[in-house]
Amino acid sequence: QAQLVESGGGSEQAGGSLKLLCTASGYTFIDFGCTGWFRQAPGKEREGVAFIDVHRDTDYADSVEGRFNISLDYLKNTLYLEMNNLRPEDSARYYCAAGPWTGYCRVDRRDHWDAVGQGTLVTVSS
């Protein structure tokens, strides 16, 4: 069974940067057609942040467009989320997810996920 492990979270001041990593075991990311990042803040619904598909097409939530960058290194079997110009409203637990290609790999995807990690906490102070 595929397992995903996130790292790279932490505390940062507004305007700063963090880079999240997600490594896979049991599978390689090339086995998945759609991978990406969710986040969930206390008391709020889970939100799709950024996704990348097997064709390397990407999709971002409007709230992070232009500030966040998702990338996938197949050789290192690692998914990244580079977060720049952080804002307090970016504070949340960030989860990586991987699923099959269904033809739709966007932040509002509702299809099945083969694996979701335990998350890494990001806290941004003003």
Side-chain angles (χ1 to χ4, degrees):
Q1 183 176 356
Q3 288 189 324
L4 303 177
V5 178
E6 302 93 338
S7 62
S11 298
E12 185 59 69
Q13 290 191 332
S17 299
L18 284 172
K19 189 171 185 177
L20 305 184
L21 293 80
C22 175
T23 56
S25 61
Y27 282 88
T28 58
F29 276 111
I30 203 168
D31 294 320
F32 300 110
C34 180
T35 57
W37 296 89
F38 293 100
R39 67 185 180 187
Q40 189 166 19
K44 294 188 177 181
E45 292 188 356
R46 190 178 71 175
E47 173 189 22
V49 176
F51 285 89
I52 185 167
D53 68 21
V54 65
H55 307 293
R56 293 191 178 273
D57 291 330
T58 59
D59 186 51
Y60 295 91
D62 290 343
S63 58
V64 307
E65 182 79 56
R67 299 189 296 122
F68 289 13
N69 183 66
I70 187 171
S71 60
L72 183 56
D73 188 327
Y74 287 123
L75 291 179
K76 295 183 178 180
N77 205 30
T78 302
L79 177 72
Y80 300 96
L81 184 66
E82 185 174 359
M83 307 186 295
N84 301 306
N85 192 19
L86 285 163
R87 303 169 180 171
E89 53 265 38
D90 294 321
S91 298
R93 180 167 290 276
Y94 285 71
Y95 303 85
C96 67
W101 172 247
T102 62
Y104 193 81
C105 184
R106 302 180 66 83
V107 294
D108 59 349
R109 171 186 164 112
R110 294 291 182 264
D111 296 312
H112 166 74
W113 295 105
D114 290 325
V116 180
Q118 293 298 307
T120 185
L121 187 63
V122 172
T123 303
V124 184
S125 58
S126 57

